[in-house]
Amino acid sequence: MSSTKAQQKGLWSRLQAGSIEQLHVRLESLIVLLALCALMSVLSPFFLSVSNFMNILLATSTIGVLAIAATFVIGAGGLDLSLGSVMGLSGVVGAYVGVTMGLPAPLAVLACIAAGALAGFVNGTIITRAFVPAFIVTLGMLGIARGIALVISDGRVIYGLPSAMVFIGQGRPFGIPMPVIIFVVTAFIMHCLLAYTRFGRHTLAIGDSENAARSAGIAVDWQRRLLYTLSGALAGLAGLLFAARINAGDPTAGLTYELTAITAAIIGGTNLFGGRGSILGTMVGALIMGVLQNGLNLLAVQSYYQQMAIGAVLILAVFIDQYQVRKETRV
Amino acid sequence: MSLLEVSGIEKSFGAVSVLHGVDFSADAGEVVGLVGDNGAGKSTLMKIITGIYTADAGAITLGGEPLMHLSPGERRAMGIEMIYQDLALARQQDVASNIFLGREPVRSILGIPFVDRAMMKAQAQQMIDRLGANLPAINRNVGSFSGGQQQTVAIARALTFDPKVVIMDEPTAALAVREVQGVLDLIRQLKEQGITTVLISHRLNDVLSVTDRIVVLRHGTAAANLVTAETDMAEVVSAIVGGAGMPDAAAHEARG
Ligand SMILES: Nc1ncnc2c1ncn2[C@@H]1O[C@H](COP(=O)(O)OP(=O)(O)OP(=O)(O)O)[C@@H](O)[C@H]1O
Ligand SMILES: [Mg+2]
């Protein structure tokens, strides 16, 4: 019975399957992105312009890097709620090293990433060694990292980064903003890592069934630790991009960004409970969030309402995902 | 000395002592049945052999080499495979990903090792064909398969990497009659290739028809070690239930 159904499946399901197989992206999220763009260009005369698209990409780059981190961790059946705080901490650490300590820019850049990676390593170690749930550990880190950022900066914004660092945020080689270039290159590398390497495939297998991964001889705990470290390092990169763009280490940077990042990953097709996810899908998800925020800005909607919109989109995305899973498993 | 030697295995889960001093061995090419009541500790003993559980005491050697200190992955590499009772499949991944999980072949591009999907698919298809199995499509997620089809994938995974010892924990539980015969034939085939099989099953008729030897677990020890050719249903059942209620149980099994 199921085989005849499979043979007769319609154009829609064939397109769905083709989109996932060829592009690693769900057809639905592509359609949502295009529909959103169409809607915004009708609602606002400023939406359809090259400079506005650059704005969207620029805004998406920070969130996008965080969403990539969320994809790895959630794909492995985990969760990282500390993304936004670790991003804020990293920017402050970079500014402290580059400005307060006056060390050269490359060291400051390295410090951003290292601070993030260290926070992630601590997350991963506690989760795998002390058996505290990821939800709790990263929620704790959300508070701890933000606190450390405030302590280091004495609660003030650290202005005036070294110029080489500012170039990372404000430079425009060939007219393309540096953060956008870094985001796209990072996404490409991370896509290859997740989709085509053993590390990536094991990541999704762990999220799918920890039991299966262990029986297959995968070093599950070790890989989990690496994944949280990777997540932290990416949050560090996002912190660097943001600080370099505003030319300052702001201890409040990245507040609630984990909400947007996790939403982007889920809209992009990452299974909230692990086992499924793709970086290209997440990029589409991040673009949806970027266009949404940009559109609401153009329409002069207050940022309070934007937070509400993002939260609602997250719940809606998970609802639709769960609805489809239930539909598929129903006999 | 046998290919697989297990001696003095002890294991408790918290306050519950499951195994106290189990000895077990299997020769190359031998088919050993492992039977016992629900909760006798069959799966636990086998998971200790594959390294999923750590024993509190005891020793295990394969071909004379001790392997207690090795990880599950290293033991697989030495040739110990297990088909788990719960199958241990990644349900959102396709057949090839499951068969090759943890052992994906790689191809180097610019010095970076990428998983060779094409090779995985081709070899997975070969293995499925060799088993004469009936799967709807090899590129579908195994979660969408029936219980029997999933069991086939788990069997294919255990046989793809030239194992020395294959442990099958209830491999026929979800299978139809014809497919059960298929698995029994497969075990005979493995025997001809010199591969050792440990078969855990509650279907005593199957165990009696395919094994060389039957080990009975009861009260946390190997209570009986019977040569299949020299035993019968009644003796096996009495070893499992331990005397009391024996005639009834034996009669029931003989009918069933
Ligand atoms: N991970 C675990 N934690 C706690 N107790 C366990 C665990 N695994 C098994 N046990 C206990 O160990 C005992 C033996 O279980 P085991 O699964 O080995 O039995 P079995 O012989 O395979 O039974 P069955 O025929 O029902 O599969 C049971 O009492 C079970 O409750
Ligand atoms: Mg069992």
Side-chain angles (χ1 to χ4, degrees):
Chain A
M1 197 181 81
S2 68
S3 68
T4 46
K5 208 167 134 194
Q7 280 153 16
Q8 292 169 351
K9 65 183 176 185
L11 180 65
W12 172 250
S13 9
R14 282 215 304 276
L15 279 175
Q16 270 182 325
S19 174
I20 286 183
E21 247 164 56
Q22 302 303 319
L23 304 171
H24 302 265
V25 176
R26 278 159 116 202
L27 192 56
E28 293 91 331
S29 39
L30 274 178
I31 291 173
V32 167
L33 178 60
L34 292 178
L36 202 59
C37 287
L39 181 71
M40 288 306 174
S41 42
V42 172
L43 291 179
S44 165
F46 308 110
F47 182 78
L48 271 186
S49 71
V50 173
S51 72
N52 189 48
F53 270 107
M54 281 301 165
N55 278 339
I56 293 175
L57 287 177
L58 193 57
T60 305
S61 53
T62 315
I63 282 298
V65 170
L66 292 181
I68 290 171
T71 307
F72 273 89
V73 172
I74 297 174
L79 190 62
D80 190 349
L81 294 174
S82 68
L83 285 171
S85 292
V86 171
M87 166 188 156
L89 170 65
S90 301
V92 167
V93 168
Y96 187 83
V97 170
V99 182
T100 316
M101 293 171 69
L103 293 173
L107 278 182
V109 167
L110 219 63
C112 287
I113 314 268
L118 181 65
F121 181 77
V122 171
N123 279 337
T125 304
I126 298 175
I127 289 165
T128 55
R129 283 294 174 88
F131 306 106
V132 183
F135 169 77
I136 295 299
V137 173
T138 59
L139 185 61
M141 183 57 77
L142 177 149
I144 294 168
R146 185 67 67 195
I148 297 176
L150 289 164
V151 168
I152 292 176
S153 63
D154 205 10
R156 285 189 291 265
V157 179
I158 306 174
Y159 290 103
L161 301 181
S163 59
M165 214 169 153
V166 176
F167 178 77
I168 290 176
Q170 300 181 357
R172 284 185 173 247
F174 315 108
I176 305 170
M178 272 300 280
V180 174
I181 296 175
I182 293 173
F183 168 47
V184 171
V185 170
T186 306
F188 176 75
I189 294 171
M190 291 299 147
H191 170 68
C192 292
L193 183 66
L194 185 60
Y196 303 121
T197 69
R198 300 185 67 194
F199 180 84
R201 305 204 66 88
H202 294 178
T203 297
L204 295 178
I206 290 171
D208 200 332
S209 162
E210 186 178 334
N211 183 13
R214 275 189 208 282
S215 330
I218 295 170
V220 173
D221 290 339
W222 173 238
Q223 174 138 0
R224 280 234 173 90
R225 256 159 121 188
L226 275 180
L227 283 165
Y228 282 98
T229 308
L230 174 69
S231 176
L234 286 168
L237 176 62
L240 168 66
L241 295 181
F242 189 83
R245 182 145 62 90
I246 64 170
N247 189 9
D250 177 356
T252 64
L255 210 62
T256 75
Y257 274 33
E258 59 279 335
L259 171 65
T260 318
I262 292 170
T263 306
I266 302 287
I267 298 181
T270 308
N271 182 351
L272 181 59
F273 305 105
R276 173 164 44 81
S278 90
I279 299 305
L280 296 184
T282 293
M283 284 183 82
V284 173
L287 279 173
I288 290 175
M289 300 315 286
V291 170
L292 189 67
Q293 280 180 318
N294 174 268
L296 294 175
N297 281 338
L298 289 180
L299 300 175
V301 176
Q302 270 190 340
S303 63
Y304 313 134
Y305 294 101
Q306 296 189 15
Q307 285 288 324
M308 287 167 55
I310 295 168
V313 168
L314 173 61
I315 295 173
L316 188 68
V318 174
F319 167 74
I320 292 174
D321 195 40
Q322 286 306 103
Y323 178 78
Q324 287 199 337
V325 168
R326 262 184 299 152
K327 212 173 65 179
E328 278 162 22
T329 50
R330 205 169 47 204
V331 189
Chain B
M1 181 139 181
S2 300
L3 176 68
L4 178 68
E5 286 276 0
V6 177
S7 57
I9 296 293
E10 291 175 23
K11 176 72 180 173
S12 344
F13 293 103
V16 187
S17 166
V18 178
L19 304 174
H20 14 260
V22 178
D23 300 327
F24 181 88
S25 70
D27 284 325
E30 194 181 19
V31 182
V32 183
L34 182 62
V35 298
D37 238 335
N38 290 117
K42 305 181 295 291
S43 300
T44 303
L45 179 64
M46 292 300 120
K47 283 181 179 172
I48 287 170
I49 295 177
T50 61
I52 297 297
Y53 290 162
T54 313
D56 303 331
I60 305 173
T61 59
L62 182 73
E65 279 193 58
L67 45 72
M68 218 46 151
H69 59 286
L70 299 179
S71 72
E74 289 165 329
R75 296 187 200 190
R76 273 185 106 189
M78 282 179 73
I80 298 179
E81 285 291 340
M82 177 155 169
I83 299 158
Y84 292 88
Q85 196 165 12
D86 62 7
L87 301 182
L89 294 170
R91 295 167 55 82
Q92 293 175 75
Q93 325 291 325
D94 63 13
V95 176
S97 301
N98 270 284
I99 289 180
F100 285 89
L101 187 57
R103 293 183 292 202
E104 298 83 354
V106 291
R107 200 163 41 116
S108 191
I109 301 173
L110 301 173
I112 304 162
F114 286 108
V115 171
D116 194 341
R117 290 282 303 159
M119 188 201 253
M120 274 169 60
K121 270 191 185 163
Q123 287 190 12
Q125 186 67 61
Q126 256 179 26
M127 195 65 213
I128 296 294
D129 290 345
R130 226 180 88 196
L131 291 176
N134 180 18
L135 294 185
I138 196 160
N139 57 358
R140 279 208 355 220
N141 295 346
V142 301
S144 68
F145 290 174
S146 76
Q149 290 165 339
Q150 293 188 15
Q151 215 146 41
T152 306
V153 176
I155 293 173
R157 176 173 60 187
L159 299 185
T160 300
F161 287 84
D162 296 328
K164 291 198 181 80
V165 177
V166 179
I167 300 167
M168 302 187 176
D169 197 347
E170 297 286 353
T172 56
L175 298 185
V177 181
R178 190 170 55 85
E179 287 158 337
V180 171
Q181 286 310 315
V183 171
L184 298 183
D185 287 344
L186 182 70
I187 294 175
R188 294 186 184 104
Q189 240 173 293
L190 294 178
K191 182 181 170 59
E192 272 166 29
Q193 296 167 27
I195 296 169
T196 303
T197 306
V198 179
L199 174 66
I200 300 178
S201 180
H202 290 296
R203 301 174 189 240
L204 295 183
N205 282 319
D206 294 351
V207 175
L208 281 164
S209 82
V210 79
T211 59
D212 300 312
R213 202 152 53 79
I214 301 175
V215 174
V216 181
L217 268 194
R218 186 159 56 89
H219 296 327
T221 58
N225 189 348
L226 308 165
V227 176
T228 309
E230 299 163 6
T231 189
D232 56 14
M233 181 69 83
E235 195 180 5
V236 176
V237 172
S238 99
I240 293 174
V241 300
M246 195 275 288
D248 285 353
H252 179 84
E253 278 295 337
R255 264 190 277 108

